[in-house]
Amino acid sequence: MSGEMEVDPPVSHEQEEAPAQSGGGFEPRTQAGAVAVRSIEGWIVIATNIHEEASEEDVTDLFAEYGEIKNFNLNLDRRTGYVKVG
């Protein structure tokens, strides 16, 4: 598994085309249009396209360099033990 992770840089405030739907505040978005969501505990990150043979340790090691991981779920297939695909 590669040690590098593609990070979609955030779009600057000036590049924001339309105001946010929820009360007119600024809603952070990435170049791909994903919305960054902040919870009480921190940021919620949903990662997709994880290789089916990746382990929990592989994924946490990649994200740990960006900050503390407070909660982590990796959906595994009961039959194979690999990460669920699709």
Side-chain angles (χ1 to χ4, degrees), residues 37-55:
V37 181
R38 178 128 173 115
S39 74
I40 294 171
E41 294 182 0
W43 292 94
I44 297 173
V45 177
I46 299 174
T48 59
N49 295 329
I50 296 174
H51 192 274
E52 66 178 16
E53 294 182 13
S55 70

Side-chain angles (χ1 to χ4, degrees), residues 10-65:
V11 174
S12 69
H13 188 62
E14 294 81 32
Q15 292 176 345
E16 198 64 28
E17 294 174 5
Q21 301 278 335
S22 59
F26 175 66
E27 191 173 65
R29 290 186 176 269
T30 64
Q31 289 179 342
V35 177
V37 181
R38 178 128 173 115
S39 74
I40 294 171
E41 294 182 0
W43 292 94
I44 297 173
V45 177
I46 299 174
T48 59
N49 295 329
I50 296 174
H51 192 274
E52 66 178 16
E53 294 182 13
S55 70
E56 185 173 324
E57 184 180 0
D58 294 334
V59 180
T60 55
D61 286 348
L62 284 173
F63 283 96
E65 67 184 76

